[in-house]
Structures are given as C-alpha cells and as structure tokens.
Amino acid sequence: MKINEFCRKKSLSVLMICLGFLLFGFLSMSVMELEELPDIESSRISIICEYSGLPPEEMERIITAPLEEGLSGTEGLSSCDSEIASGYSRTDLSFLWGTDMGSAAVSVREAVDLFYPYMPTGMEKPRVETFIYSDASAITLAAVPAAGLSSLMALSPVRELKNRILDLDETALVRTTGLREREVHI
C-alpha cells in the first residue's frame, strides 16, 4: 500500500500520530533548558610552528611529519590534519567527544616539549592552542607578513587595525593573539 493511499484510508490514525508528535515536542520543549550561549567543550587542539625561510616540503619533512608521528599515540585522538606553507605549519588535532581536554592538552604540550630539542636550531618553540567555543569571535582576521619578513613586521599594522576596529561603536571586544614583541632584560 502506498503512503498516499494509507493516509487517505486511515486519516484519523495519521491525525492522531501527528498530534502525538506535536504533544511530545511541546512537552520536550517545556522541560528542556535553553541557553543563549551554552558552554561547549572543544575537542580540538592546534600546534603552530613557525620557522621563516623554510620551504613547505622541508617544513613537512623536518617538522610536521615527525610531530604528527609523535602525537599519534595521544589518548582520545581521532584525527590529525596539517596545513603547511613556507615557514609555517599548523597541525589540528581532533579528539573524540567526551575526552578530557585538560589532560589531552597537557599530553600534547608534553609531547611538543619532548620533540622541541630535535627541531631546527633557532626555531621558536611551537605554540599549543586550545579552541574554546564560548570564547570564539564573530570575525577572525589573520595577518601574515610577506615572504622573507618576520612576524614582528606585522605587529605595527595589526595594532593600528585593532585601534580602528575598537573605535567603531558596534565593537565590544578586539583581541589579538600570537604576536609578541621581543624583549631584552638586562
């Protein structure tokens, strides 16, 4: 029997089923707690490596591939994806839902610390960043200096852009991450 024939012949049954679904939906909605911005624990950790002047192929061979191999045994890890460019590598680690992200972040940081002595001399220590959905921004801008220039060259234009965005009436918060000025303590 086709659906349209069934609905025509058993219209009262179909009506009762639809009303049951509607009643179930209203009951569920009245019991369910709703939050405008719920806290959702992330299941992603990123490792960012920078070593200016190194071609992508060498970046992958010397830094990214060994790092991925060293992190492959991390508990709860579901996937590992990397993005490689000249002098830049970002490895995104995705974890199974329910994984304790605090202990996973500690494990990843420990693995990076163990791997760091084997990285090329002069390379800054890789940054390990955890993503928190509740802190996520509405707009994310990335500033990457031209080839051959250090990331510090982007510091002044980024600060200027930050100040201009803060001057807008609709702006609540502007946060910059990753840019650091070198300091010399004497």
Side-chain angles (χ1 to χ4, degrees):
M1 184 181 312
K2 294 182 181 179
I3 286 183
N4 58 354
E5 287 178 32
F6 175 79
C7 290
R8 206 173 345 110
K9 289 182 180 176
K10 309 280 185 178
S11 59
L12 186 59
S13 299
V14 171
L15 181 64
M16 296 302 286
I17 290 171
C18 289
L19 286 175
F21 279 126
L22 232 123
L23 180 65
F24 177 73
F26 281 121
L27 287 174
S28 298
M29 196 170 81
S30 66
V31 174
M32 189 183 318
E33 290 183 27
L34 297 177
E35 288 186 39
E36 190 172 317
L37 298 171
D39 290 331
I40 301 172
E41 188 172 311
S42 172
S43 63
R44 189 177 82 197
I45 297 175
S46 295
I47 302 164
I48 299 169
C49 302
E50 293 178 302
Y51 191 58
S52 61
L54 200 63
E57 298 82 19
E58 291 296 310
M59 195 80 179
E60 180 178 11
R61 187 178 65 78
I62 295 172
I63 298 168
T64 308
L67 186 62
E68 285 178 351
E69 189 175 321
L71 292 167
S72 63
T74 306
E75 189 176 335
L77 184 67
S78 65
S79 69
C80 180
D81 300 309
S82 293
E83 176 185 316
I84 303 166
S86 181
Y88 175 85
S89 168
R90 187 181 84 216
T91 303
D92 291 327
L93 307 172
S94 296
F95 292 85
L96 300 170
W97 286 105
T99 301
D100 179 16
M101 292 307 293
S103 62
V106 168
S107 297
V108 169
R109 284 188 177 92
E110 288 174 351
V112 168
D113 287 344
L114 288 173
F115 180 68
Y116 181 62
Y118 301 103
M119 291 184 173
T121 308
M123 180 179 162
E124 288 185 31
K125 188 174 180 181
R127 292 190 320 267
V128 178
E129 298 178 352
T130 55
F131 182 76
I132 300 169
Y133 286 106
S134 60
D135 290 346
S137 54
I139 297 174
T140 301
L141 298 175
V144 180
L149 298 176
S150 71
S151 59
L152 293 175
M153 299 294 284
L155 193 58
S156 178
V158 167
R159 282 190 179 151
E160 176 65 28
L161 180 62
K162 177 182 177 179
N163 291 334
R164 286 185 179 198
I165 293 173
L166 278 171
D167 288 342
L168 298 173
D169 291 335
E170 300 83 15
T171 304
L173 173 69
V174 177
R175 183 176 34 217
T176 57
T177 58
L179 293 175
R180 295 174 291 217
E181 272 188 289
R182 296 193 188 272
E183 295 181 12
V184 178
H185 296 279
I186 300 174

